[in-house]
Amino acid sequence: MWLKPEEVLLKSALKLWVLERANRYFVLQRRRGYGEDGGGLAGLLMGTLDAVLDSTSKVAPFRILHQTPDSQVYWSIACGASREEITEHWDWLEHNVMKTLSVFDSNEDVTSFVQGKIRGLIAEEGKGSFIQEEDPEKFREAILKFEKCFGLAEQEKLVTYYSCSYWRGRVPCQGWLYLSTNFLSFYSFLLGAEIKLVISWDEISKLEKTSNVILTESIHVCSRGEDHYFSMFLHINETFLLMEQLANYAVRRLFDKETFESDLVLHDPLQITKRGLENRAHSEQFSAFFRLPKEETLQEVHECFLWVPFSHFNTLGKMCISENYVCFASQDGSLCSIIIPLREVIAVEKADPANKGVSISIKGKRAFRFTEVKDFEHLVAKLRIRSGTTSCPHHTASTEVATTSDSDNLVDYYEGQLMAGQKGSSKTVSTEALMTVFHPQDADNLDSKMLKEKMKEQSWNILFVECGRGVSMFRTKKTRDLVLRGIPETLRGELWLLFSGAVNDMATNPGYYTELVEKSLGTCTLATDEIERDLRRSLPEHPAFQSDTGISALRRVLTAYAYRNPKIGYCQAMNILTSVLLLYAKEEEAFWLLVAVCERMLPDYFNRRIIGALVDQAVFEELIRDHLSQLTDHMTDMTFFSSISLSWFLTLFISVLPIESAVSVVDCFFYDGIKAILQLGLAVLDYNMDKLLTCKDDAEAVTVLSRFFDSVTNKDSPLPQAVQQASNLNDTKSYHPKVDITDLIRESNEKYGDIRYEDVESMRCRNRLYVIQTLEVTTKQNVLRVVSQDVKFSPSDLEELYELFKKEHFLSCYWSANSPVLRHHDPSLPYLDQYRIDCQQFRVLYHLLSPWAHCANRDSLALWTFRLLDENADCLINFKEFACALDVMYNGSFTDKLKLLFKLHIPPAFTEVESLSPSKGDDLSKEELIHFSQLNAGKEKIDIQAYLKQWQDELLKKEENIKDLPRMNQFQFIQFSKTLYNLFHGDPEEELLYWAIATVTSLLLKMEEVGRRLQSPTSPAKSPASAAESSTDSQNMLKRDSAPEQTERRSVHSTRRDCHEWSFAFEQILASLLNEPALVRFFEKPLDIKAKVENAKTSQLKARTRV
């Protein structure tokens, strides 16, 4: 292929390249170590360089250089992977370029002409080719090397790759880092030393950027207690962001199924691309910053100026455009931002062509003017189409209503329309905030608190005149300052709706809440039972929730949300939060505020494991270490902060602060998000620093903080004294000086306002890995504690088995878009049942770990073992069942192992197995295995139920009576004997064992014949010759011949003996086998699982890939 001309110093490269051809202006070279001179030290050196150097040079053993006489400078112009390819290029140069070069007078002109010609050839080849996110040729080469080096499944998709160094101790190893959907992989080959590293994303507990004296900037990966460092990236921030996304994607997919299932974008791992992940990250940041619905995706970003009318200047910033919104955020420190829903747009015009201006007019007689917009004409046309398609007839018809006054609240306008449509369908939904019903403001009351409240309202009204009112208002530093001072009671519901983004959800889903209320009315679920139990516990001190009006509204909102989102349903703390929302917002507004909090602002807070709250607690601990190091030095255990702060995050301080103070915290939360809660938590600890440093234990520290929260007041609150006293009953007992909430919030912003939203999100991503892995460690510890009581494996061996069991569960999820195994992982189940495997996965582990896996009929044994363990017939087994079966095989006594083999050959475990493909012998396909694992054993349902009951009772007993085991019939005994023959294959005493089992079976058959004749005296007695014939026929059937003829003969014999079936009890078989010392030695010889485990750890991935 032709290359962009690059200068090459030939003198330093002479030892690496061999001259093949040369003329006056061109040189063809071959790389040492390739072709007929390959091998030896040169080949070793080249292999090393292949792993270190750039992709193009490492795969091109041939190249062509351009030279001019008497010059030491050469230019690379072509390379080739084969001699044929490079020869074709050489011939073209000789026939088309050489003759032309003779006309030039100077060497500079020759070089200039050659460079221009080569660039033209490259441009010509590039016509019509679409260059994607990577250079396609290089990316194809990387995929081939990735597949060759690591041998993963074909479905494993490479997302991207980077050149970097991997640090082994203090030695850097240059190589290539490959990021795929399920694995982080690294490969290096240096002077014969090969380094190959494969880490699955779900094993990573820490992923962070670090720096120290040796490594200026590196990426630290911690997996299963091992630390790995990667450095020398060209774009380390881009690499780290992508690694962070892939790790969090895998963790959510495998551990946090509830959240993942609602995310359809990442549901198929085969569709993940580098560009897609980058776009997704930008869209998430965009929707979170502007509080837009999660479905919005960022489509365009334009750097431009926005005219700020009340400040009379243009501010530089970025215009961000999605499907339904145009947003702007300034780049200077004024924090000016706006959100323009396209549903509000009535006109888009070219404002000032000379300055590339765009004017967007919205309802309410307001317009926004952007200038210096790149490609503004195209943008205007596009926005016209979008706003035209998103406009609805009722918007156009009601423009006059919405534009009567700039200070009209557009939220009230939308609600008026929504409620008008609801009057006919439902009269149960409350249309008033509870605060206006139970505490209406008295206009004649002019005490000091009411005067301050009126002054606050006036300040906001002035802001509305300057910045507009409603969803498209300008949000500036002045807006934030007013929020920090506390939102007036009359505006609180409106502004909560606005700042949270819930106003957009409500406007785009008219009538949705009313429909939910009607559908959920009368439903009876676990969530509704919990809601009923907690209704009276929600702000019981407030009069609104001492009446049926408030209780009914709270019930409707919580029940409707549980119906909308059954994966969350209802979680404690939701009742407290919703109660406060209902005080200041109308019922439908409170519902949409709850949606915004649960699904956007506090993601994963209100699920079974409250992962989101635990993540933010970890972020809080990290901030404490950064900002309050004196406190962390004093506290030996950081878990104290987690225990006390959980309620702060889950209830936004509502559960620990008086209601009049808590609402001011909620004001800040809806404006600044979780950042406001983190800042306030730091301020609380900082305020009580001196007292906390003198505390001797956690209980004393808890008391200090409780007294502090009781002393927090809101001196400007206009709430009636009765409500304030009810929420602060123990004021008279508190000796703590009063602290005003407004002062506390202001102090938290002054001291910790430099905490950036981007940093919080980065810490959230980083700590999510840690939190989920910590939960997984807890699950593992509980499972191992329970299982260790029933097995004889050492703790370390049992832990290794658990990791292999869990890994097998995950391997089934890696390469399937809709893996049924993902449905089996339910974190709400008891610890033992959170991870379960099916028959196919069990077979893989059986092949890797069982001491009986060398048998010819190992697939049948794996199937029968699985059916024995699957007592509830759901085609899944948990780790305890798996470990107990292995424990018998490795650590069981002679009787235990024989009893297990006996059970495997009688129902419900045993079922006749014949492969559909005779050429495969005893091996079963995946489909056959699943089919047989789902079959009901036996022919009579009554017997099967009896067997199942026996096995269930058996596990409950410590001592089992072997006399209770069912008898084994003729066909089952034949299969049992064949299994024993297979087990002995390859044993040093193989011949002795075969002879022993033949002796035992012959003896058992003769005993059975005699016993049957004694039990049936009326039947004609068999002659000795007949008995001998019967015994001989039965032994013939025990031969391990799997040919079709043998199978046919066996079925004939079986049919012939249906009329006089014989059977054996377990005691008979046990007693007979005990008489053979070789058999006893075989089953009692010690077996060590460690070697099998070590082999399984290296082979599990390859075994799964083959499957």
Side-chain angles (χ1 to χ4, degrees):
M1 57 187 283
W2 299 109
L3 301 176
K4 180 181 176 183
E6 291 185 358
E7 188 173 308
V8 175
L9 290 176
L10 195 62
K11 185 176 180 181
S12 62
L14 283 175
K15 296 180 181 180
L16 302 180
W17 296 88
V18 178
L19 183 65
E20 289 271 317
R21 296 188 190 181
N23 58 35
R24 185 177 173 81
Y25 294 109
F26 299 102
V27 175
L28 191 156
Q29 295 178 331
R30 172 179 52 80
R31 209 167 177 195
R32 288 188 186 275
Y34 289 89
E36 59 273 17
D37 296 329
L41 183 61
L44 186 64
L45 182 61
M46 290 303 104
T48 298
L49 292 176
D50 281 348
V52 177
L53 296 180
D54 179 73
S55 174
T56 303
S57 60
K58 75 174 187 287
V59 295
F62 299 93
R63 69 178 182 181
I64 298 176
L65 305 179
H66 163 62
Q67 64 167 349
T68 54
D70 303 322
S71 173
Q72 293 297 318
V73 179
Y74 289 70
W75 300 84
S76 63
I77 59 173
C79 68
S82 66
R83 192 179 298 276
E84 292 76 17
E85 180 185 0
I86 204 70
T87 301
E88 182 181 347
H89 284 43
W90 179 266
D91 292 342
W92 188 91
L93 289 170
E94 286 195 324
H95 288 95
N96 297 280
V97 178
M98 282 294 294
K99 295 177 182 178
T100 309
L101 297 182
S102 61
V103 304
F104 293 101
D105 296 327
S106 67
N107 290 337
E108 289 77 14
D109 292 339
V110 171
T111 301
S112 178
F113 174 83
V114 170
Q115 290 180 351
K117 188 66 178 177
I118 299 302
R119 289 193 179 98
L121 290 172
I122 294 173
E124 191 68 23
E125 287 180 347
K127 282 185 179 178
S129 67
F130 179 69
I131 304 301
Q132 300 178 355
E133 60 191 4
E134 300 282 354
D135 181 340
E137 193 61 36
K138 285 187 178 182
F139 198 69
R140 273 196 299 272
E141 294 167 6
I143 291 175
L144 290 174
K145 184 164 185 182
F146 172 70
E147 293 173 350
K148 179 182 177 182
C149 289
F150 303 105
L152 300 173
E154 293 180 1
Q155 301 95 321
E156 182 64 17
K157 181 172 182 179
L158 179 64
V159 177
T160 189
Y161 64 104
Y162 298 96
S163 172
C164 71
S165 289
Y166 171 62
W167 290 78
R168 302 185 71 181
R170 294 179 175 271
V171 180
C173 303
Q174 185 66 25
W176 293 90
L177 180 71
Y178 298 90
L179 306 182
S180 58
T181 50
N182 297 295
F183 298 96
L184 177 156
S185 311
F186 177 84
Y187 182 81
S188 174
F189 185 86
L190 294 169
L191 297 176
E194 183 181 55
I195 299 174
K196 192 182 295 186
L197 181 70
V198 179
I199 302 173
S200 56
W201 294 115
D202 56 83
E203 293 178 344
I204 293 177
S205 58
K206 183 180 287 187
L207 181 64
E208 60 183 356
K209 283 192 295 184
T210 60
S211 60
N212 54 39
V213 178
I214 300 175
L215 306 177
T216 53
E217 203 169 20
S218 63
I219 295 176
H220 173 211
V221 177
C222 181
S223 170
R224 301 185 71 173
E226 294 184 11
D227 293 313
H228 308 276
Y229 292 89
F230 302 90
S231 66
M232 300 186 190
F233 291 95
L234 189 61
H235 304 290
I236 191 168
N237 291 329
E238 172 197 307
T239 308
F240 179 75
L241 177 62
L242 207 59
M243 292 171 70
E244 200 173 53
Q245 283 184 283
L246 286 167
N248 275 285
Y249 154 72
V251 162
R252 288 170 57 193
R253 181 165 187 254
L254 300 173
F255 296 115
D256 193 12
K257 184 166 64 77
E258 293 175 9
T259 307
F260 180 84
E261 284 182 344
S262 61
D263 192 343
L264 298 178
V265 178
L266 290 180
H267 212 56
D268 185 357
L270 302 181
Q271 301 303 315
I272 296 178
T273 63
K274 177 185 175 185
R275 179 170 293 178
L277 288 172
E278 290 172 347
N279 292 341
R280 179 182 175 83
H282 294 150
S283 294
E284 288 177 346
Q285 188 177 5
F286 161 72
S287 58
F289 182 83
F290 292 106
R291 305 280 165 77
L292 301 178
K294 289 193 296 185
E295 298 77 23
E296 292 297 314
T297 57
L298 181 62
Q299 296 183 341
E300 297 180 50
V301 178
H302 299 275
E303 191 168 274
C304 61
F305 290 90
L306 171 67
W307 172 250
V308 184
F310 50 87
S311 299
H312 303 289
F313 70 90
N314 284 306
T315 181
L316 176 65
K318 290 184 178 179
M319 178 197 293
C320 304
I321 302 173
S322 65
E323 297 93 331
N324 301 297
Y325 297 87
V326 176
C327 305
F328 178 90
S330 64
Q331 292 180 336
D332 55 19
S334 66
L335 299 176
C336 171
S337 64
I338 59 168
I339 301 169
I340 308 173
L342 292 179
R343 64 177 183 271
E344 298 289 320
V345 174
I346 56 176
V348 181
E349 304 291 341
K350 301 175 192 174
D352 186 359
N355 292 320
K356 301 179 183 178
V358 176
S359 175
I360 302 178
S361 302
I362 64 170
K363 299 169 184 177
K365 297 181 180 178
R366 295 176 58 207
F368 300 91
R369 191 177 71 193
F370 302 90
T371 54
E372 301 300 326
V373 181
K374 186 179 179 181
D375 200 8
F376 73 104
E377 293 180 343
H378 179 66
L379 180 63
V380 167
K382 189 182 295 184
L383 290 179
R384 280 177 180 170
I385 295 173
R386 288 191 185 177
S387 59
T389 54
T390 54
S391 295
C392 299
H394 71 271
H395 287 163
T396 307
S398 55
T399 299
E400 293 182 5
V401 179
T403 57
T404 51
S405 170
D406 284 347
S407 63
D408 279 350
N409 181 11
L410 293 178
V411 178
D412 289 339
Y413 161 68
Y414 278 111
E415 286 197 349
Q417 287 207 338
L418 297 177
M419 291 303 174
Q422 292 167 5
K423 286 181 180 177
S425 60
S426 174
K427 296 182 180 180
T428 59
V429 176
S430 172
T431 58
E432 294 292 337
L434 295 179
M435 194 62 76
T436 62
V437 176
F438 288 89
H439 306 298
Q441 289 192 5
D442 185 2
D444 298 330
N445 182 7
L446 295 179
D447 61 14
S448 59
K449 291 186 176 180
M450 285 306 300
L451 284 173
K452 287 184 178 179
E453 189 73 4
K454 293 295 182 185
M455 290 172 63
K456 281 186 184 178
E457 290 181 25
Q458 187 61 29
S459 298
W460 278 96
N461 287 329
I462 294 171
L463 181 74
F464 291 148
V465 171
E466 290 182 354
C467 303
R469 187 169 185 173
V471 68
S472 297
M473 70 179 290
F474 281 88
R475 303 172 197 211
T476 63
K477 187 176 182 299
K478 186 176 180 181
T479 313
R480 176 189 295 277
D481 293 340
L482 289 179
V483 170
L484 296 181
R485 287 165 51 190
I487 298 175
E489 299 277 311
T490 55
L491 297 176
R492 188 161 268 140
E494 173 190 338
L495 293 177
W496 282 359
L497 205 68
L498 178 66
F499 295 143
S500 67
V503 61
N504 295 312
D505 294 321
M506 194 171 75
T508 52
N509 294 279
Y512 177 79
Y513 174 67
T514 306
E515 291 177 13
L516 275 187
V517 171
E518 292 174 350
K519 289 178 181 177
S520 61
L521 199 63
T523 57
C524 185
T525 63
L526 179 62
T528 56
D529 292 343
E530 292 176 345
I531 290 170
E532 288 297 326
R533 188 170 60 246
D534 288 347
L535 284 175
R536 304 284 173 181
R537 305 175 188 171
S538 310
L539 296 186
E541 70 278 358
H542 199 285
F545 298 100
Q546 296 168 2
S547 70
D548 186 60
T549 303
I551 294 294
S552 298
L554 181 60
R555 178 187 293 113
R556 285 192 295 271
V557 172
L558 291 174
T559 306
Y561 186 79
Y563 188 87
R564 163 192 165 88
N565 194 341
K567 291 186 175 67
I568 291 179
Y570 170 76
C571 179
Q572 283 190 339
M574 287 172 67
N575 59 321
I576 298 174
L577 175 62
T578 308
S579 302
V580 174
L581 299 179
L582 282 167
L583 288 178
Y584 295 98
K586 299 171 185 178
E587 188 174 319
E588 184 179 11
E589 294 175 343
F591 169 79
W592 287 112
L593 283 168
L594 184 63
V595 170
V597 171
C598 293
E599 298 177 15
R600 287 203 308 274
M601 300 186 72
L602 297 179
D604 304 340
Y605 261 59
F606 302 99
N607 57 21
R608 293 183 179 96
R609 299 198 290 177
I610 58 171
I611 288 176
L614 297 176
V615 170
D616 283 342
Q617 280 185 298
V619 172
F620 186 52
E621 288 181 16
E622 194 172 331
L623 291 172
I624 293 172
R625 282 190 286 268
D626 292 341
H627 296 275
L628 303 173
S629 56
Q630 189 178 357
L631 191 59
T632 56
D633 292 341
H634 175 73
M635 306 293 287
T636 56
D637 188 4
M638 290 292 287
T639 56
F640 164 75
F641 299 110
S642 299
S643 61
I644 62 166
S645 64
L646 182 60
S647 62
W648 302 359
F649 291 101
L650 281 174
T651 66
L652 308 179
F653 283 92
I654 296 171
S655 62
V656 294
L657 287 174
I659 183 65
E660 67 274 10
S661 301
V663 291
S664 295
V665 178
V666 179
D667 293 343
C668 299
F669 168 74
F670 279 125
Y671 192 84
D672 273 333
I674 193 62
K675 177 174 173 286
I677 305 301
L678 294 168
Q679 289 176 180
L680 185 61
L682 290 173
V684 168
L685 295 179
D686 187 29
Y687 192 93
N688 294 277
M689 175 77 77
D690 295 338
K691 292 183 179 178
L692 290 173
L693 291 176
T694 60
C695 291
K696 297 181 178 60
D697 53 35
D698 292 353
E700 193 175 344
V702 170
T703 303
V704 167
L705 292 174
S706 297
R707 288 177 178 172
F708 169 77
F709 285 128
D710 289 339
S711 69
V712 176
T713 62
N714 188 346
K715 63 178 184 291
D716 296 334
S717 173
L719 279 179
Q721 196 65 27
V723 175
Q724 294 192 40
Q725 287 175 348
S727 63
N728 210 352
L729 292 174
N730 56 354
D731 277 354
T732 55
K733 302 177 184 179
S734 174
Y735 300 100
H736 202 290
K738 298 297 181 184
V739 180
D740 187 68
I741 187 65
T742 306
D743 296 336
L744 190 62
I745 290 173
R746 185 175 61 250
E747 185 177 334
S748 72
N749 271 271
E750 289 173 354
K751 287 188 174 181
Y752 310 109
D754 58 342
I755 298 174
R756 299 190 311 141
Y757 167 79
E758 294 83 0
D759 296 334
V760 172
E761 286 302 306
S762 178
M763 285 189 283
R764 272 180 161 179
C765 286
R766 184 166 64 249
N767 284 287
R768 173 178 286 274
L769 298 175
Y770 167 75
V771 166
I772 290 186
Q773 292 295 350
T774 302
L775 292 174
E776 288 301 304
V777 169
T778 303
T779 299
K780 178 174 72 174
Q781 290 171 345
N782 283 284
V783 170
L784 295 180
R785 188 183 68 250
V786 172
V787 176
S788 62
Q789 300 172 8
D790 297 324
V791 299
K792 297 176 184 176
F793 288 123
S794 67
S796 59
D797 288 343
L798 193 61
E799 184 175 356
E800 295 284 9
L801 287 175
Y802 178 85
E803 294 294 346
L804 288 168
F805 182 89
K806 178 178 162 185
K807 188 69 176 178
E808 188 59 36
H809 171 97
F810 283 159
L811 286 173
S812 300
C813 310
Y814 282 167
W815 302 298
S816 176
N818 297 299
S819 171
V821 184
L822 277 175
R823 295 195 293 271
H824 303 158
H825 176 219
D826 188 348
S828 66
L829 292 174
Y831 290 120
L832 274 174
D833 292 327
Q834 286 190 18
Y835 292 107
R836 294 176 291 173
I837 57 175
D838 61 19
C839 192
Q840 167 64 11
Q841 298 163 296
F842 177 78
R843 175 171 68 170
V844 174
L845 289 176
Y846 186 91
H847 289 182
L848 291 172
L849 296 169
S850 173
W852 303 339
H854 64 278
C855 287
N857 64 334
R858 62 179 186 171
D859 278 1
S860 298
L861 280 178
L863 168 65
W864 297 333
T865 307
F866 181 84
R867 285 169 59 86
L868 177 66
L869 299 176
D870 183 23
E871 292 182 8
N872 58 1
D874 65 350
C875 299
L876 298 169
I877 63 169
N878 62 31
F879 178 69
K880 181 179 180 181
E881 295 162 337
F882 170 78
C884 287
L886 278 182
D887 186 60
V888 172
M889 297 178 195
Y890 279 95
N891 304 316
S893 64
F894 174 83
T895 304
D896 293 333
K897 293 177 182 178
L898 195 63
K899 186 168 62 176
L900 175 61
L901 284 169
F902 184 86
K903 290 179 185 177
L904 295 182
H905 292 82
I906 59 175
F910 181 77
T911 184
E912 294 188 39
V913 175
E914 292 293 342
S915 175
L916 301 179
S917 175
S919 63
K920 292 170 62 179
D922 291 323
D923 291 342
L924 297 175
S925 68
K926 178 180 178 181
E927 292 73 19
E928 291 167 350
L929 194 71
I930 298 299
H931 168 73
F932 288 126
S933 70
Q934 295 173 349
L935 286 178
N936 287 326
K939 296 185 178 180
E940 297 182 11
K941 289 188 177 179
I942 298 175
D943 291 339
I944 297 168
Q945 296 301 325
Y947 282 136
L948 287 172
K949 187 176 186 306
Q950 286 178 10
W951 307 143
Q952 190 171 10
D953 293 341
E954 176 193 348
L955 290 181
L956 296 175
K957 297 176 185 175
K958 290 295 181 183
E959 294 293 334
E960 180 187 38
N961 188 349
I962 59 176
K963 293 183 179 180
D964 295 334
L965 288 173
R967 293 176 70 86
M968 179 180 282
N969 67 27
Q970 175 182 339
F971 181 69
Q972 293 161 2
F973 179 73
I974 292 169
Q975 294 298 321
F976 173 76
S977 301
K978 289 181 68 175
T979 297
L980 290 178
Y981 272 117
N982 291 330
L983 280 177
F984 303 150
H985 182 64
D987 191 89
E989 296 184 333
E990 183 176 356
E991 291 299 325
L992 192 58
L993 288 167
Y994 284 162
W995 178 258
I997 196 62
T999 304
V1000 169
T1001 52
S1002 178
L1003 177 63
L1004 285 169
L1005 289 169
K1006 289 177 182 178
M1007 289 171 56
E1008 180 58 26
E1009 291 290 345
V1010 173
R1012 194 156 52 84
R1013 286 203 302 271
L1014 291 175
Q1015 290 178 1
S1016 305
T1018 58
S1019 62
K1022 275 192 176 184
S1023 65
S1026 174
E1029 179 190 354
S1030 173
S1031 177
T1032 304
D1033 289 343
S1034 298
Q1035 288 187 53
N1036 286 337
M1037 288 187 288
L1038 300 180
K1039 292 182 179 178
R1040 292 174 296 136
D1041 184 3
S1042 59
E1045 294 84 8
Q1046 181 69 18
T1047 303
E1048 186 177 346
R1049 187 168 77 243
R1050 186 178 62 205
S1051 64
V1052 170
H1053 278 290
S1054 181
T1055 304
R1056 193 176 73 184
R1057 295 189 178 275
D1058 282 344
C1059 57
H1060 48 274
E1061 191 83 13
W1062 42 259
S1063 62
F1064 295 108
F1066 177 70
E1067 307 98 294
Q1068 292 176 284
I1069 298 175
L1070 177 62
S1072 301
L1073 293 175
L1074 280 170
N1075 288 326
E1076 297 295 332
L1079 292 173
V1080 175
R1081 283 197 304 273
F1082 175 83
F1083 282 106
E1084 288 192 342
K1085 65 182 175 184
L1087 298 171
D1088 189 6
I1089 199 174
K1090 292 185 185 296
K1092 284 275 188 181
V1093 168
E1094 289 302 317
N1095 178 64
K1097 287 161 66 176
T1098 58
S1099 306
Q1100 186 178 24
L1101 187 58
K1102 293 179 181 178
R1104 190 72 210 182
T1105 302
R1106 288 195 298 271
V1107 172

